Structure formats: structure tokens, C-alpha cells
Amino acid sequence: MGSSMTTIGLPIALGIIMLGLGLSLTVGDFGRVLSQPKAVVAALICQLVLLPAVCFGLVLLFDLPALLAVGMMLLAASPGGTTANLFSHLFRGDIALNITLTAVSSAIALVTLPLITNFAIDHFAPFDDQLGMQWRKVLEVFAIVLVPVAIGMAVRRFRPRFAERMDRPVRIVSVVVLVVVVAGAVASNWTLLADNAGQLALITVTFCVLSLGIGYLVPRLLRVSRPQAIASSFEIGIHNATLAIVIGQTVLGSVGLSLPAAVYGVLMFFIAFGFGLLIRDRAAAGATTPLPART
């Protein structure tokens, strides 16, 4: 049962989520990078350079077991999740930038995710009998990622009304799929999770808060507009946990490796919501500060 879920269920689940992403994308979303290069470059530097470095530091600081350490690095290397669009909409971020960043970071992850994960496997050596990621399987996983996205984009291009009608149902299915996948990962490796629950919860919460904070503050320091900084923060703080879980279980054959992503996948929604309220209240306070009286 568990084996069939891993080999058949997880790729199908990821395919559904990627199809949903494709339904929200157009070719123009990739082209929009040229019209707002500063915001995109700032977000990508945070996601591809700062986040893996911060995660590596946290893993060393918390002294995680090797398997969970690699799982955290796999999570850090995964691109932004599609739910970032929803949070960006709730807290008045630039949704168009979210869509662009999701598209671009997902494409770049084809290269960076295997590189970062292989580095982590080489450094922490969690497997006695395995030499890193199996590249053929990596290609298979990204075929599962890219083909549904391409199909979704084609549907959006040629059947836009159908794509609009399907957007909400596919999003709902995606959330249900994430819940089922997380529950499966937790149930399959309950002992490892129970032994490291406190440590794992603490490092994932810390990493999520830092991801959201970096994603917001770095663009603001670079004078990127506030709505774009909000979009960037959610794009960087809300990872594609399902992708990390699928790679951990199907490519590397380790449910334990997917536990950090499973825990993060649950906690990130609550933390992101709290973060959104925080930056919204700060903005409201700034907007309502009374002007000095004229003399």
C-alpha cells in the first residue's frame, strides 16, 4: 500500500498540482521578467543564494540527524509554491510578480535543486549504500513537473474559459493532496518524527520566519515597491513542499527525508498568515500616522 502510494500516488498528486500551476501561467509571465528585472532578480537572489545558505547554517546550529539535515536542504532548494499567490492576494502583494517568480524559479530549480541536494547528501552522508541522487530519476520527476505545466499552459492558451472554471477545483484538490501526502509521510515515519518533533518544529518555524523576513526586507532595501516585496516574501516563504516530499520519497527512496517538508508544509500556512497580518498592520500604522500640525 505504502509502496504503491509512493510510486504511483505521489507522482499523480504532483502532476495535479503542476497542472493547476500551468492553468494560471502564460508565456507572457516569463517575458514579464524583462519589465520588472529588479524585483525578480532580488527575489531570485534571496531564493537561490540566501535561503540555502541560511538553511545550511540552521542545520549546523540545530545539529540535526543527517537524514533530516538533507531533508531541510531539499526543502530550501525547492521553488515557491502556488499557494503564495493566494497569500499575496490576501495581503495586497503583486500577484503578477508571484506568477512570474513561480514560473522562473520552477524552471531554474531544474538545475539548482539537484545540485543543492547532492551537495547536502555528499556533506551529511545519510546513506551508507547510495551515492547521491539518481539523475535518471531526477529527470523523471521533472518530466512529471514540466509536462503537466505545459498541458495547463496550453489549456489556458486555447481554452481560457475552461482554464478559469478549472482553476478553483484544481486548487482545492491541490490542498487536499498536500494534506494526504503530509499525513502519509508522518504516519510512515512516526518514530523518527516523534524522536525529533520539538527540534524539527523549531527549525522549520525559524526557517519559515527567516524566509518570509528575508523575502520582504531584502527587496525593500533594494528599493523594490512594497506590493512587490510582499509578493517576494510569500514566494520565498511558501515552498513547494509537495515537490520536496515527492523527490525525497520517489527519487531518494526515503520517507524520513521528506519529514522536514511535511512539517514545513503544515506550519508555513499559519506562519505566513501571521506574517501577512504583521506587515499589513505596520503599513496601516504608517499610513495613519498624523502629519505634524502647521504653525
Side-chain angles (χ1 to χ4, degrees):
M1 175 73 180
S3 176
S4 63
M5 179 187 169
T6 301
T7 55
I8 300 171
L10 285 179
I12 290 173
L14 183 62
I16 292 170
I17 292 173
M18 291 299 112
L19 176 67
L21 171 60
L23 288 173
S24 67
L25 289 177
T26 66
V27 175
D29 293 325
F30 291 90
R32 201 183 293 117
V33 174
L34 300 175
S35 65
Q36 44 191 15
K38 187 196 280 188
V40 173
V41 169
L44 290 178
I45 287 172
C46 291
Q47 195 158 33
L48 301 174
V49 180
L50 294 181
L51 240 58
V54 166
C55 186
F56 186 68
L58 285 176
V59 164
L60 295 179
L61 181 66
F62 280 79
D63 194 25
L64 284 184
L67 200 63
L68 299 181
V70 175
M72 280 299 299
M73 292 301 292
L74 172 60
L75 171 69
S78 64
T82 54
T83 324
N85 299 357
L86 174 62
F87 279 90
S88 201
H89 175 70
L90 277 176
F91 296 105
R92 307 199 174 181
D94 185 339
I95 300 173
L97 177 61
N98 276 110
I99 294 171
T100 301
L101 287 173
T102 301
V104 173
S105 66
S106 296
I108 294 174
L110 290 171
V111 176
T112 57
L113 196 150
L115 288 176
I116 291 170
T117 307
N118 269 316
F119 160 76
I121 289 171
D122 184 58
H123 185 276
F124 295 107
F127 307 119
D128 296 328
D129 58 346
Q130 214 169 329
L131 295 173
M133 297 180 78
Q134 302 164 41
W135 288 94
R136 184 179 61 80
K137 285 194 173 182
V138 172
L139 294 176
E140 286 175 14
V141 168
F142 282 114
I144 295 167
V145 171
L146 290 178
V147 171
V149 168
I151 292 171
M153 290 180 68
V155 171
R156 170 78 183 265
R157 172 72 178 83
F158 297 107
R159 293 286 185 273
R161 288 185 180 177
F162 177 74
E164 285 175 18
R165 286 201 306 273
M166 290 302 294
D167 182 62
R168 183 176 170 81
V170 170
R171 280 177 188 268
I172 292 170
V173 170
S174 297
V175 172
V176 172
V177 162
L178 178 61
V179 170
V180 171
V181 165
V182 167
V186 169
S188 301
N189 233 20
W190 179 253
T191 305
L192 182 64
L193 178 62
D195 290 345
N196 298 276
Q199 201 177 23
L200 205 49
L202 195 56
I203 192 172
T204 49
V205 168
T206 304
F207 182 55
C208 189
V209 170
L210 288 174
S211 298
L212 289 162
I214 288 169
Y216 181 77
L217 292 173
V218 170
R220 290 300 279 157
L221 288 172
L222 295 174
R223 301 191 182 280
V224 169
S225 75
R226 193 171 170 278
Q228 289 182 327
I230 291 171
S232 170
S233 71
F234 288 125
E235 192 66 34
I236 289 160
I238 297 176
H239 288 269
N240 191 335
T242 313
L243 178 61
I245 292 169
V246 170
I247 291 178
Q249 294 191 28
T250 61
V251 177
L252 296 167
S254 169
V255 179
L257 205 63
S258 68
L259 279 181
V263 174
Y264 194 96
V266 173
L267 296 178
M268 69 181 179
F269 297 117
F270 300 102
I271 300 166
F273 191 77
F275 183 82
L277 291 175
L278 179 67
I279 56 177
R280 187 185 69 178
D281 290 346
R282 281 179 60 85
T288 55
T289 302
L291 294 172
R294 289 184 179 179
T295 53

